[in-house]
Amino acid sequence: MKLKNAYAFEVSEGKIQPEKKDSLWEALRLPLVEPMIVAFTGGGGKTTAMFCLADELAGQGKRVIVTTSTHIFYPVDRIVAEAADWKTVSDFISGHKEYSSLAGWVLVTGLPAGEEKLKGMELSELEKLLSLCDVLLVEADGAKRLPIKIPAMREPVIPKGTYAVIGCMGLDCIGEPWEKKCFRHELAPQIFGSQTMKDRITPGDAVRILTSTNGTRKGAESMEYRILMNKADDELQLSSAREVAEDMGEQWAEYCAAACFKESGQDTKF
């Protein structure tokens, strides 16, 4: 999967509009602080967005390690250092001279976990990986491939020292039934309280989940926080993204981005 389009949301004369950007990193408007940990939480598109950012940063000459504090699918098209501790990863890098000769690179690490998945190492070891790279990207949440999520008590698993959290949502949840598109939808009362919820997820519902400290922003209260709406695959979905950003208002809109990705060789007219 490669980036097709990325958008930031601009506020002008009281109107909130998407503006196309050249990269996902630019759309997210994150400062680049080295070294830094960026964690991905929430629903759909975390893994795709994480690898997209990894490639963009490597293209800027940054050394990037990608891992998870939970589980991700084993990336068969990537170089993976299978490791349970940071020292094994350090030895892997030292033993592969291309990492010292390349200006920028991406390395994935974790342990095989069955079912074609990779699991993360203990947090105390994971956090030490930052000493080996410029940027450490961590998928810190799981959503069973559903587009939006409400976290349980021990979720997400954000490493100590994380600089920024990117909360993700797939736009294909808008207008769909809660039980079909929201992971842990039964936990909705912890966000909505006694408020009556409609049968289908509205843009306003998405806003509440994405900005709540009981929702996607959980654990990121003292960190840089960005909202990424994935699957802006056509004009209708981009319109949904704009509606979500409008419902957030000016306070949050500038921290939002939208993106769509394509398979290799896919048409890129939109």
Side-chain angles (χ1 to χ4, degrees):
M1 299 287 280
K2 293 185 178 181
L3 183 68
K4 183 176 179 181
N5 289 312
Y7 305 86
F9 288 86
E10 304 292 342
V11 179
S12 177
E13 298 180 352
K15 294 183 178 181
I16 297 171
Q17 296 288 344
E19 182 175 295
K20 190 177 288 189
K21 299 296 182 180
D22 292 333
S23 68
L24 183 57
W25 186 262
E26 182 184 1
L28 288 164
R29 291 186 281 207
L30 272 173
L32 185 57
V33 179
E34 297 180 28
M36 69 187 297
I37 301 175
V38 179
F40 294 75
T41 66
K46 294 186 298 294
T47 303
T48 299
M50 181 170 64
F51 279 111
C52 175
L53 284 184
D55 290 339
E56 288 181 358
L57 290 165
Q60 297 177 33
K62 307 304 177 187
R63 302 168 300 156
V64 184
I65 292 179
V66 173
T67 190
T68 177
S69 58
T70 56
H71 293 80
I72 57 173
F73 282 100
Y74 197 109
V76 295
D77 57 342
R78 301 277 178 169
I79 298 174
V80 178
E82 296 183 358
D85 56 77
W86 78 275
K87 182 63 168 54
T88 302
V89 181
S90 178
D91 291 343
F92 182 95
I93 292 172
S94 298
H96 292 73
K97 299 305 181 184
E98 61 266 34
Y99 288 103
S100 60
S101 60
L102 292 173
W105 46 258
V106 177
L107 177 66
V108 184
T109 189
L111 281 173
E115 298 181 348
E116 299 180 342
K117 289 188 176 181
L118 197 68
K119 69 177 181 179
M121 57 186 68
E122 293 292 329
L123 277 181
S124 58
E125 292 296 319
L126 184 155
E127 289 155 4
K128 294 176 185 177
L129 293 173
L130 191 59
S131 66
L132 306 175
C133 61
D134 301 311
V135 183
L136 176 61
L137 301 181
V138 182
E139 186 165 322
D141 212 354
K144 300 292 185 182
R145 307 192 77 174
L146 291 177
I148 194 165
K149 174 184 178 173
I150 299 171
M153 183 180 297
R154 290 182 172 83
E155 299 171 320
V157 186
I158 299 176
K160 181 180 178 181
T162 295
Y163 177 78
V165 171
I166 298 173
C168 297
M169 178 191 80
L171 287 160
D172 53 331
C173 70
I174 303 298
E176 295 292 328
W178 285 88
E179 63 274 12
K180 181 180 177 181
K181 294 293 186 177
C182 181
F183 186 49
R184 304 204 194 284
H185 60 87
E186 68 278 4
L187 299 178
Q190 72 185 28
I191 293 184
F192 294 92
S194 59
Q195 177 182 336
T196 301
M197 296 164 57
K198 296 182 179 180
D199 293 335
R200 295 176 181 270
I201 301 168
T202 68
D205 294 334
V207 169
R208 292 285 294 273
I209 293 171
L210 290 166
T211 60
S212 172
T213 54
N214 289 321
T216 313
R217 197 162 67 95
K218 182 181 176 185
E221 297 89 340
S222 61
M223 304 168 189
E224 288 283 339
Y225 180 65
R226 298 294 186 272
I227 293 165
L228 176 59
M229 293 178 276
N230 288 308
K231 293 192 177 180
D233 296 338
D234 53 35
E235 292 290 354
L236 181 61
Q237 295 289 44
L238 184 59
S239 178
S240 292
R242 181 172 59 245
E243 191 171 352
V244 172
E246 287 173 346
D247 281 2
M248 287 186 182
E250 295 184 16
Q251 176 186 0
W252 282 104
E254 66 180 17
Y255 298 107
C256 292
C260 63
F261 299 87
K262 64 181 177 68
E263 299 284 355
S264 298
Q266 182 179 318
D267 188 1
T268 60
K269 288 182 179 179
F270 170 65

